[in-house]
Amino acid sequence: MKSKLELSGLRAALLLLIGATHLLFASPAHAFTATDAKTLFKAYNDAFYFEAGTNGYYKESTEGGKTYFWERAEQLEMILDVYERSRDPKCLTLFSNIFNGFLSDHTSNWRKNDFNDDIMWMVIACSRAYQHTGNPVFRDVAKQNFDMCFERGWSADLGGGLFWKVDNLSKNACVNGPGAIAAHLLYQIHGDTNYLAKSEAMFQWLRATLFNTNTGAVHDNINLRGNRDLRTYTYNQGTFVGAANLLGRTNDALLAADYTMNVISRGGLMPRYGESGDGGGFNGICARWISRFMVQRGLENRYGGWLQYNAETAWDVRRAADNLSWPRWRQRTPQTTLHSWACSSSVVTMHAVPPTEGPGGIKYPGVVPRDRASRTDAATSGLPSEFSWTGNAKAADGSLIAVIKVNTEDTPDLTGWGRRAGELCAEWYPRISALLASDGFTPPDDVRLTFRNDYDGVASTRGSRIDISAHYVRGATNDFGMVIRELVHVVQGYPRNRNASWVAQGLAEYVRMVHFEPQASRPRFDLDTTGYRDNPKAAACFLEWIEKHHDSKIISELNRALRAGTFRPALLEQRTGKPLEALWNEFKTILHSTKA
């Protein structure tokens, strides 16, 4: 693609698109109209949209920056959701401007992105755009990159399916569900049955490998050793429903949608994912595809009340000052820094779900939880039976920072170990939050540790959920430092930045090594074969050395930049006066001389 789309400026157009809307907070009546949805979209664009020439972008947060590849792809889908509700062509102008900005950053060939799911999300956005505009630029870039991604990602390993990343270590629901949708959209556009066959193949692999045909749960991934990650997320549920609906597998779609509504959505509301991580936009993706399934199959009486309850609540919890609504719908949107990706969940849900009142509105039946006026945070509303221990993490003044919950339901022999881990988390969560504080950031207030027999590894963290391998703990009963390391990842909440992953991992090990285990001997590693980028412990030692010998504030500065999404390797040179590689070579030289 040699030229960008020539498009007009957008600020005035957005004003015309949204119209004059009030900024008063919602009334006690729990309902929302199409005008309310417009108000939320206007607030979103006022807070996050900016232009550079004909290039449009969304800020990473209210503090600045800009969103990355997959987040921006989903924000483009958000714009199409608004267009499909309003049919206002100014939405397509907005789409084109942000598409131009995307091409400026990532070009029209996305091979350099190692994440196959990122590419599939953008293929879906461009395919949908072509269906609404007939612009061949969208069609061609979607086809070109789908073909590239499928060729590199599909293999016979594990019975088929797409790999999540080019490292070919796992096959995930988050790429095969969207991949099946993307292929079906290309089939609709081109009439090429090869795409239909690929859509069917991805869906059938997903159904056979990661879908529980008894419950409707869509599990996250399977690694090359055949070990399944049984976690469920709303976006995987949603894209499974979307693919099943496109392929006419309505029974599978019903099962997955029912599981999402009845099991994942406790109290009727979708889960509270982290505001600053990947999970912030999960619920919007889920609402999009289940709502489409509902409308196309005439299932409003089954899902309408539940979906509208989530949309109404997203509207109710917006903050009065600017009408932004975050994704943690059990609580009022705070007066802090907000991330555009996370706020997109409310915008998407309010446009994907039919309004309850006003022109075109209809209130669907459904069992709705107790009145929202009596809603309380999950921390005070009773502890589900699967949690074996719960405790409070409190600040120095006694105020509650977070509730820590430990689940050893499947590993009763580790109940005592889990309790001690929970107690350490309650003690250290305030300390880590203070150590990694930054302006406007509030760490998650609901932290959960789950001990799993089926997890092959040590531990992993997504958002505020920590999964711990029971097998590992049984063989390393003194390694509570591992828990603290994962707890650091909960507090970090950094947006994804592939160039900065070594810093985030290094900081987590740094906190463990310098603050939690200061008396322990420093880890050993071969400096000739190990680098700071591929060994978090080496990165931690490197950062500790920089802090001691070059910049006493480097940890807080790195944390601030990582959380704002503005980290670049040049920051280390700016702070120390030396290029990164020169610092590393100096560090290695000193360690070599010390060993000698």
Side-chain angles (χ1 to χ4, degrees):
M1 190 179 305
K2 295 183 179 179
S3 63
K4 297 181 180 178
L5 303 176
E6 296 182 3
L7 298 159
S8 60
L10 193 61
R11 285 293 178 191
L14 283 174
L15 293 174
L16 293 174
L17 166 64
I18 303 302
T21 54
H22 63 80
L23 292 178
L24 298 177
F25 198 79
S27 66
H30 305 310
F32 80 99
T33 66
T35 299
D36 295 333
K38 283 186 177 182
T39 299
L40 207 69
F41 186 50
K42 179 182 185 301
Y44 188 93
N45 284 302
D46 286 346
F48 299 119
Y49 180 75
F50 69 99
E51 292 178 350
T54 59
N55 294 340
Y57 302 95
Y58 278 124
K59 297 177 184 176
E60 195 275 329
S61 75
T62 47
E63 299 300 312
K66 59 184 176 182
T67 52
Y68 188 65
F69 196 111
W70 99 279
E71 295 170 340
R72 212 179 310 176
E74 281 308 292
Q75 288 169 322
L76 286 168
E77 281 212 81
M78 172 191 71
I79 295 167
L80 296 177
D81 295 331
V82 176
Y83 172 74
E84 288 171 0
R85 178 65 58 189
S86 69
R87 292 295 168 180
D88 193 308
K90 297 179 183 66
C91 289
L92 301 181
T93 301
L94 174 58
F95 182 98
S96 296
N97 276 19
I98 294 179
F99 178 77
N100 281 345
F102 184 94
L103 292 186
S104 179
D105 287 347
H106 303 292
T107 77
S108 62
N109 185 334
W110 308 328
R111 184 179 294 275
K112 290 183 179 179
N113 189 327
D114 291 346
F115 288 78
N116 291 323
D117 64 319
D118 286 12
I119 294 170
M120 289 304 183
W121 297 113
M122 190 60 183
V123 169
I124 293 173
C126 292
S127 297
R128 289 179 64 193
Y130 172 76
Q131 290 179 321
H132 288 304
T133 66
N135 189 320
V137 173
F138 300 139
R139 177 198 64 200
D140 295 346
V141 76
K143 182 181 186 302
Q144 167 193 337
N145 286 284
F146 176 90
D147 291 346
M148 175 274 296
C149 186
F150 189 87
E151 180 182 7
R152 80 180 189 184
W154 182 271
S155 80
D157 302 284
L158 302 170
L162 292 173
F163 281 110
W164 177 39
K165 297 169 58 179
V166 296
D167 59 13
N168 294 349
L169 295 179
S170 68
K171 294 190 173 183
N172 296 41
C174 70
V175 62
N176 284 281
I181 293 172
H184 202 281
L185 293 176
L186 290 173
Y187 163 65
Q188 295 174 24
I189 291 169
H190 294 279
D192 184 343
T193 56
N194 287 316
Y195 288 114
L196 178 61
K198 290 174 181 176
S199 177
E200 185 75 46
M202 283 180 278
F203 176 77
Q204 289 297 346
W205 178 88
L206 178 59
R207 184 184 186 278
T209 311
L210 295 176
F211 182 59
N212 187 323
T213 56
N214 293 317
T215 65
V218 180
H219 300 306
D220 191 66
N221 70 78
I222 183 172
N223 65 24
L224 281 179
R225 284 171 286 188
N227 298 311
R228 287 174 175 80
D229 184 334
L230 300 182
R231 289 176 294 180
T232 57
Y233 299 102
T234 52
Y235 77 142
N236 288 335
Q237 297 290 137
T239 54
F240 181 91
V241 171
N245 181 43
L246 288 169
L247 291 165
R249 305 297 194 272
T250 53
N251 288 338
D252 290 333
L254 285 167
L255 193 59
D258 285 351
Y259 183 86
T260 310
M261 177 175 65
N262 297 325
V263 179
I264 296 180
S265 300
R266 294 183 178 179
L269 289 177
M270 294 186 201
R272 300 179 304 167
Y273 295 113
E275 201 276 334
S276 60
D278 275 349
F282 284 4
N283 290 340
I285 295 171
C286 179
R288 172 188 301 131
W289 293 107
I290 294 184
S291 184
R292 281 172 172 253
F293 171 58
M294 174 188 75
V295 172
Q296 291 171 9
R297 303 290 176 174
L299 296 167
E300 288 86 353
N301 288 343
R302 187 167 184 153
Y303 302 114
W306 163 61
L307 288 171
Q308 287 182 330
Y309 176 57
N310 280 270
E312 291 167 357
T313 307
W315 174 244
D316 286 352
V317 303
R318 74 197 188 282
R319 61 188 187 188
D322 54 13
N323 276 334
L324 290 178
S325 174
W326 73 339
R328 299 168 67 83
W329 298 330
R330 287 176 173 82
Q331 295 172 291
R332 183 80 61 188
T333 305
Q335 301 296 324
T336 58
T337 299
L338 295 177
H339 293 76
S340 65
W341 167 233
C343 290
S344 73
S345 268
S346 293
V347 176
V348 170
T349 301
M350 287 189 66
H351 285 86
V353 176
T356 59
E357 291 184 357
I362 180 171
K363 179 67 176 177
Y364 294 121
V367 178
V368 177
R370 63 183 183 277
D371 187 81
R372 264 157 284 200
S374 67
R375 282 203 317 267
T376 58
D377 186 82
T380 60
S381 61
L383 193 65
S385 60
E386 69 263 26
F387 295 109
S388 58
W389 183 87
T390 181
N392 295 329
K394 295 184 178 181
D397 62 3
S399 60
L400 181 67
I401 296 178
V403 175
I404 310 297
K405 301 171 184 177
V406 177
N407 181 347
T408 56
E409 183 180 30
D410 294 335
T411 58
D413 60 307
L414 296 179
T415 299
W417 203 97
R419 179 183 182 87
R420 178 55 182 151
E423 292 170 346
L424 284 171
C425 287
E427 175 187 352
W428 276 87
Y429 197 70
R431 300 185 190 183
I432 297 169
S433 298
L435 181 67
L436 300 181
S438 61
D439 292 341
F441 177 75
T442 302
D445 59 6
D446 179 31
V447 181
R448 302 185 182 189
L449 286 70
T450 301
F451 290 78
R452 295 174 46 193
N453 285 314
D454 61 347
Y455 181 49
D456 183 23
V458 178
S460 65
T461 298
R462 182 174 291 194
S464 61
R465 304 295 185 259
I466 301 173
D467 284 342
I468 298 173
S469 167
H471 176 74
Y472 174 79
V473 171
R474 292 180 184 118
T477 54
N478 294 322
D479 191 7
F480 289 102
M482 165 270 294
V483 178
I484 299 302
R485 179 193 65 212
E486 298 304 316
L487 194 65
V488 174
H489 288 313
V490 173
V491 175
Q492 286 176 329
Y494 302 148
R496 187 162 63 180
N497 182 340
R498 292 170 179 77
N499 293 323
S501 61
W502 71 269
V503 189
Q505 295 292 333
L507 282 176
E509 288 289 352
Y510 163 90
V511 173
R512 169 184 178 166
M513 181 178 72
V514 175
H515 293 274
F516 181 69
E517 300 171 334
Q519 304 304 321
S521 59
R522 291 296 181 259
R524 296 179 178 274
F525 43 85
D526 187 344
L527 288 169
D528 295 324
T529 60
T530 300
Y532 58 88
R533 291 184 180 275
D534 53 29
N535 187 321
K537 295 183 185 296
C541 292
F542 183 35
L543 294 174
E544 181 191 24
W545 175 80
I546 293 174
E547 179 185 41
K548 287 182 177 180
H549 298 282
H550 288 279
D551 184 359
S552 62
K553 297 182 179 180
I554 191 62
I555 301 302
S556 61
E557 289 300 312
L558 289 172
N559 174 66
R560 181 194 58 77
L562 286 165
R563 187 166 286 141
T566 59
F567 171 81
R568 298 294 182 273
L571 174 63
L572 286 155
E573 182 174 357
Q574 294 168 6
R575 299 288 306 180
T576 66
K578 295 184 178 182
L580 179 56
E581 293 306 319
L583 285 169
W584 175 247
N585 289 332
E586 181 182 343
F587 171 69
K588 289 199 300 180
T589 299
I590 291 174
L591 257 65
H592 274 306
S593 63
T594 302
K595 290 180 179 180

